[in-house]
Amino acid sequence: MSRNNKGKVSRHEQLRYEYLLRNIAYLSPREQAEFDYLKKKVEIQETPSYYYDEHEDNYYQDYEQSYNNNYEDDYQDADQWDDYYANSHYTDQGLPVYPEQQSTRSQRKNHQGKRRDSVSATKPKKRRRWTVKRTLKAVCLLLLVIFAGMIVMFIKGMNDISAGKNKNYKPAVVEKFNGKNTKDGTNILVLGSDQRITQGSSEARTDTIMVLNVGNKDKKIKMVSFMRDTLVNIKGVSADNYSYDNKLNSAFNIGEQDNNQGAELMRQTLKRNFDIDIKYYVMVDFQTFAEAIDTLFPNGVEINAKFATVGGEAVDSVEVPDDLNMKDGVVPNQTISVGKQKMDGRTLLNYARFRKDDEGDFGRTKRQQQVMSAIMSQIKDPTKLFTGSAALGKIYALTSTNISYGFLLSHGLSVLTNGKKVEQVTVPDNGDWIDDYDIYGGQALSIDFDKYKKKLAHLGVR
């Protein structure tokens, strides 16, 4: 067998080889076998003659015999390809017409799978870029629509109150408040009043005094609760500039008597005694709080009710005053059980105000923090995006605050997003005080102010 006859590649074989090479990704098993045969034949023809010695004929014969043995199941002899190319018809391009052959189901699947893989491999990046772009555009558009809807519903809820559509409510009066910026984030004073803030009562008191720090570099909500009976120095009220002789909540009551400036005098007092700068205030009365909870959470707020011992003994439930159901001057009691449950607005308010267990006012302060944290974390429910926005608009109209629309829109979402990242501090800590009396002879708490100034500075709310 000589290279010059048996091993020579014909013109049509060369064309067929080049065609199969260009389409190698789509070859069926039979086409692949044909390609392998032609490839070996082309390689042998292209091998320089000096690689062969006088036994080159034997070399080629050994190679072709080995090839034929490897494919003897499909092709009885490699000569059949030479005979096939010699006797077959050709296309207009000079390529041999390949005979039709029924492929098995598995062969068709493999062939189609290869074709799909090759097609997907040719244009993956371009298709993916367009998909990502379109997805981002769709998401941005959806967020814009949602955000716009929230604003519309918020304004609608606010206007329902401001326009007097509900005769039972009047918009709250915004008090004078000379807010100051703080070093990190924004401090907001939160006050809970026992009088409707639309009534302008000079007898209003507060047992909820908190400072929230939001928008800080730690991306957390920092919550500081001040016990109302803490002795402080109130400018123009205390005996002198050095005497700590008035309860902290007295600042609110005294300020309200001075043309409703309770929030402002509380701001000044916290700055004077704890060196805290506060930018905004929020003042909510008990009735508004209960209505707000029922509007935002029709099914209630989930909370794990906890109480300290009562008279030194553990309790399964307690009787709490139910002020909102007072009738003819008589305040009924409500039973609240220990453990996980869902509370409506009235029950949540009564739970937060209770102080008849052995922890007294400190226990009440802890429950107020617990209630605030539960509200902030659970208001993130996506189903409340629109109904919640309308409710927030109503609450905003009923709440005495100097927080601007812009701040509320820009920081409100981050506050809700970080609702579960809350650092809480109570001033003073449980038992970290000395029992004392105020200027009027009432029982009060004396604390170390230098210690708590450092603690608040470390927390990052000063």
Side-chain angles (χ1 to χ4, degrees), residues 190-195 203-210 225-229 248-250 252-253 266 283-286 289 321 323 349-355 360-369:
V190 179
L191 300 171
S193 171
D194 62 351
Q195 298 287 330
E203 298 301 319
R205 297 169 298 176
T206 178
D207 58 22
T208 302
I209 305 169
M210 289 186 183
S225 296
F226 296 88
M227 292 176 64
R228 68 173 192 170
D229 291 338
L248 179 59
N249 70 335
S250 297
F252 177 75
N253 180 262
M266 182 63 74
M283 187 164 61
V284 181
D285 61 65
F286 299 151
F289 174 83
D323 293 281
L349 174 67
N350 295 338
Y351 173 73
R353 297 193 66 205
F354 179 73
R355 62 166 182 163
D361 198 43
F362 179 80
R364 170 164 62 184
T365 302
K366 285 201 309 181
R367 280 185 285 276
Q368 290 173 353
Q369 289 184 334

Side-chain angles (χ1 to χ4, degrees), residues 25-26 109-121:
Y26 312 123
K109 285 185 178 179
N110 291 336
H111 180 66
Q112 293 171 355
K114 287 182 180 180
R115 181 177 294 275
R116 281 196 298 269
D117 292 341
S118 298
V119 172
S120 63

Side-chain angles (χ1 to χ4, degrees), residues 319-352:
E319 297 292 319
V320 301
D322 190 5
D323 293 281
L324 294 184
N325 280 333
M326 181 178 64
K327 186 175 182 181
D328 298 328
V330 179
V331 178
N333 286 333
Q334 179 186 14
T335 301
I336 298 181
S337 299
V338 174
K340 291 184 178 180
Q341 56 194 285
K342 286 192 174 183
M343 296 184 180
D344 60 13
R346 179 179 60 89
T347 305
L348 199 64
L349 174 67
N350 295 338
Y351 173 73

